[in-house]
Amino acid sequence: MAKIRADNVKKTFKIKKEGNEFDELPALAGVNLEIDPGEFMVIVGPSGCGKSTFLDLVGGLTHPDEGTIAIDGKPITGPSRDRAIVFQQNALFPWRTTLGNVEFGLESINPDQDERREIALDYLSLVGLSGYHNHYPHQLSGGMKQRVSIARALALNPSIMLMDEPLAALDAQTREFLQRDILRISKESRKTVLFITHSIDEAVFLGDKVAVMSARPGVIKRVVDIPLTAEERASDDVVAATEFVQSRQLLWRLLKEEVVKVEEAQSNIHAEDHSNSLLLDKKTGLINSVRAFARI
Amino acid sequence: MVSDKFVKKLKTFALKSSAIVAFVLLWEAAPHLGLIDPIFIPPPSVIAVKLYQLLLSGELLVHTAASLERVFLGFIIALAIALPLGFLIGGWFKTFETAVDPLLQVLGQANPFTLFPVFMALLGIGELSKIGIIYWVCQWPVLFNTVSGIKSVDPVYIKVGRSMGLTKFNLFKKVLLPAALPAIFTGIRMSAVFAFFMLIGAEMIGAHSGLGFLIIQSQAVFNMPKMYASIVSVALLGIAINYIMIKFERKAMSWKEDIAA
């Protein structure tokens, strides 16, 4: 049975306008996705396609308007400690030490203070931060903060890890180190992972499968298998492997169409304001967006 | 080297106190040089002697105690009412907040000195009206800062708490409250300053004890050194209270990088 199964999940946001009027903003238009136990599933998609919305739904923080998400066959009714979330950035509590942050989720489960401390210290060393337990978040680098966030989620011993662009704000080197650690930890602890990213390279490197989401309102356009073994991923020149390059090209092609759609939609809005500069805007907009994606 | 450090500290201290020393020296010299009339502005040495006498006779202590009691009571009542109210308005009742916010803003903006006669009419000229007006001025900074502190808690912290299955009460205790604490403390510190302003004003209008009374009474009997001694006492007390508040704040929020004095 699938660990996570989303059936025709729809979500529309209401955006408040002046007075009591609302604009409807469809975010998800029927998402279908199956994730097997222990699988590392990555979702990529253009900005604003509803990736994070979907992750919030799986986390149980919001409810779908239509459709269901089931974990081990049981529909989600709300948040659960079995589905821990790692957020984008700055989600650590600044008033707690590193240790206090990792202990946070344990406090409502485990009343034994010494045991909590021990568990938290273990997870801190697992993410490579032993010796930093008395530091406050503002004393840590961006990469270290995200390591603490990961330790905080792992400390709950969830079977599912939901990761919402956890590495987006980090520099390239830190990012690569963390990617390797995330891969190692998730495989060692046999977690089912749902990971969201903008970066195609990151998706190919981490994912057993990569789901490509369409432009808003989001649906899963295609799920791509990444034929890389754990040993191949561990190698330093995995990015040069044929499978890596081919997967990357395929994903890039799928994604490019969606990015172009987003750009066109934006250019059209633009065109209404400045009809005379339409052509130029559209062209430069497209070129810029393609460049931006190539950089990632 | 330790001595180097010590010399450096000494130099900083000397530089920082230079303006104060120059001011006091100029003030001391001015009456002797005939620049100001010592009857109206006595030199600091005369004031210092008077302050010492007031301290020895116990008169200063009695009035300081009376003042502090009023400030303390008004301040505590304000905290007891404004903090829970701020949590409720900021955290739970969004519609209620929209409805009452304009009214609270107007009430908070009203000049409290103009309201003092109202308090006297309602609560008499005794202690109650003074404590009442101090409570009144203290509650606004606490209330407004608590509401905005709770409202501006980063939603991601709440998401983290919810994702870990926290109950509503624990979400408040472990996430909202600590996240809003810096703003709440700003309100508390502001209200301590306001309390002092209002106290002296209230004691000048109708009182038989307190530092404000001491100032206005000394002026009435033309005892200028005593008046200035009382003014200096009020200033020193204000500095002391601000110092205590900052110490307390630092202790409560040791995780903060720096709290400006």
Side-chain angles (χ1 to χ4, degrees):
Chain A
M1 189 176 21
K3 183 76 189 167
I4 305 174
R5 186 190 164 92
D7 272 313
N8 193 30
V9 171
K10 291 183 183 171
K11 181 83 188 169
T12 299
F13 287 111
K14 286 192 170 131
I15 310 270
K16 200 170 178 181
K17 286 204 303 190
E18 274 170 54
N20 279 330
E21 281 177 52
F22 289 95
D23 257 349
E24 297 219 324
L25 185 76
L28 299 176
V31 171
N32 292 297
L33 190 65
E34 261 187 47
I35 305 171
D36 288 330
E39 196 169 60
F40 202 120
M41 173 69 79
V42 181
I43 299 182
V44 292
S47 301
C49 72
K51 304 183 293 281
S52 295
T53 307
F54 181 65
L55 189 122
D56 277 1
L57 288 168
V58 179
L61 295 172
T62 45
H63 299 287
D65 296 332
E66 264 181 66
T68 52
I69 301 172
I71 307 293
D72 297 320
K74 287 185 218 90
I76 288 175
T77 53
S80 155
R81 293 189 193 97
D82 193 41
R83 280 169 271 135
I85 308 179
V86 178
F87 294 91
Q88 258 179 35
Q89 53 169 331
N90 294 330
L92 291 181
F93 300 127
W95 58 87
R96 281 178 174 244
T97 59
T98 304
L99 186 74
N101 266 288
V102 180
E103 280 184 8
F104 181 79
L106 295 169
E107 283 164 12
S108 31
I109 322 170
N110 192 335
D112 187 336
Q113 207 181 327
D114 295 336
E115 231 171 83
R116 281 206 306 259
R117 192 185 151 86
E118 207 134 297
I119 296 171
L121 286 172
D122 276 354
Y123 280 105
L124 275 176
S125 82
L126 181 70
V127 297
L129 283 180
S130 12
Y132 284 96
H133 54 277
N134 278 331
H135 284 60
Y136 282 97
H138 72 80
Q139 297 168 311
L140 303 177
S141 70
M144 287 161 127
K145 281 185 208 170
Q146 282 313 72
R147 284 173 190 274
V148 179
S149 290
I150 292 166
R152 178 169 68 182
L154 285 169
L156 297 167
N157 197 20
S159 66
I160 298 172
M161 294 278 281
L162 304 172
M163 309 184 94
D164 188 2
E165 297 192 43
L167 312 179
L170 305 179
D171 64 80
Q173 286 86 20
T174 313
R175 199 168 174 159
E176 212 162 293
F177 275 115
L178 265 157
Q179 283 168 357
R180 288 183 184 275
D181 281 347
I182 288 172
L183 200 59
R184 169 179 60 84
I185 292 167
S186 73
K187 289 303 168 203
E188 277 171 8
S189 56
R190 295 166 201 279
K191 307 277 184 214
T192 306
V193 183
L194 178 61
F195 189 104
I196 284 172
T197 181
H198 266 107
S199 156
I200 293 176
D201 278 346
E202 188 164 281
V204 176
F205 178 73
L206 290 173
D208 297 321
K209 289 180 184 168
V210 177
V212 179
M213 229 167 159
S214 71
R216 196 181 62 219
V219 293
I220 301 295
K221 189 176 176 181
R222 189 160 151 195
V223 179
V224 178
D225 278 298
I226 308 295
L228 284 169
T229 63
E231 292 77 47
E232 284 169 328
R233 288 176 208 260
S235 138
D236 273 342
D237 38 47
V238 58
V239 288
T242 322
E243 292 86 351
F244 191 100
V245 175
Q246 280 171 352
S247 303
R248 193 184 185 288
Q249 278 170 350
L250 172 61
L251 287 170
W252 171 225
R253 215 168 44 239
L254 290 165
L255 205 52
K256 195 160 63 178
E257 295 165 13
E258 300 306 320
V259 176
V260 168
K261 272 189 220 163
V262 173
E263 278 299 327
E264 274 176 350
Q266 279 171 1
S267 300
N268 285 340
I269 295 166
H270 220 113
E272 285 168 21
D273 301 336
H274 317 275
S275 49
N276 49 356
S277 57
L278 166 71
L279 251 167
L280 197 67
D281 273 352
K282 216 170 178 178
K283 260 189 194 161
T284 50
L286 258 178
I287 291 165
N288 281 339
S289 79
V290 169
R291 272 190 194 145
F293 246 97
R295 242 182 281 130
I296 300 165
Chain B
M1 291 291 281
V2 182
S3 61
D4 275 359
K5 232 181 186 175
F6 181 71
V7 170
K8 208 176 169 190
K9 261 191 175 173
L10 208 67
K11 271 185 181 166
T12 319
F13 180 75
L15 188 66
K16 278 191 171 175
S17 37
S18 57
I20 294 177
V21 172
F23 177 74
V24 171
L25 286 178
L26 192 69
W27 185 1
E28 184 66 43
H32 295 297
L33 297 173
L35 293 174
I36 49 175
D37 189 343
I39 306 273
F40 292 103
I41 307 178
S45 54
V46 175
I47 296 169
V49 169
K50 191 71 206 172
L51 193 62
Y52 183 64
Q53 284 170 356
L54 281 173
L55 209 58
L56 277 191
S57 71
E59 199 181 347
L60 191 64
L61 274 173
V62 170
H63 289 289
T64 307
S67 289
L68 282 180
E69 193 186 327
R70 288 170 189 143
V71 167
F72 187 72
L73 283 173
F75 186 63
I76 291 295
I77 297 170
L79 291 188
I81 292 174
L83 281 177
L85 196 64
F87 295 144
L88 285 178
I89 295 177
W92 277 272
F93 303 115
K94 296 276 154 64
T95 328
F96 181 63
E97 199 246 328
T98 318
V100 296
D101 186 59
L103 172 69
L104 294 178
Q105 293 294 344
V106 169
L107 289 176
Q109 287 296 319
N111 186 331
F113 284 94
T114 64
L115 293 175
F116 190 50
V118 179
F119 276 77
M120 286 212 292
L122 291 174
L123 301 171
I125 54 164
E127 290 302 294
L128 220 49
S129 60
K130 291 174 195 64
I131 294 167
I133 195 76
I134 289 166
Y135 146 73
W136 179 263
V137 294
C138 282
Q139 70 179 343
W140 303 113
V142 176
L143 183 66
F144 292 142
N145 280 286
T146 304
V147 171
S148 78
I150 292 278
K151 273 171 70 182
S152 57
V153 171
D154 192 331
V156 80
Y157 297 152
I158 298 166
K159 265 189 172 181
V160 172
R162 285 189 55 216
S163 77
M164 295 193 172
L166 258 65
T167 58
K168 277 230 152 128
F169 175 73
N170 270 337
L171 201 62
F172 172 74
K173 193 181 100 180
K174 290 183 173 179
V175 180
L176 281 176
L177 193 60
L181 208 58
I184 295 171
F185 259 108
T186 306
I188 292 177
R189 209 138 60 88
M190 274 169 78
S191 80
V193 173
F194 284 11
F196 237 69
F197 279 170
M198 197 60 229
L199 167 85
I200 303 300
E203 286 177 344
M204 282 181 169
I205 295 172
H208 303 290
S209 62
L211 292 169
F213 163 75
L214 202 62
I215 293 171
I216 209 79
Q217 193 228 21
S218 311
Q219 191 253 356
V221 299
F222 216 74
N223 189 342
M224 286 301 162
K226 194 173 169 184
M227 187 185 87
Y228 282 100
S230 314
I231 292 173
V232 170
S233 313
V234 171
L236 292 177
L237 206 58
I239 292 170
I241 285 183
N242 193 42
Y243 180 78
I244 292 167
M245 298 296 285
I246 287 173
K247 279 276 160 196
F248 185 57
E249 199 172 340
R250 284 224 173 108
K251 210 168 169 124
M253 295 187 295
S254 50
W255 53 272
K256 273 242 161 183
E257 281 156 275
D258 190 44
I259 292 163

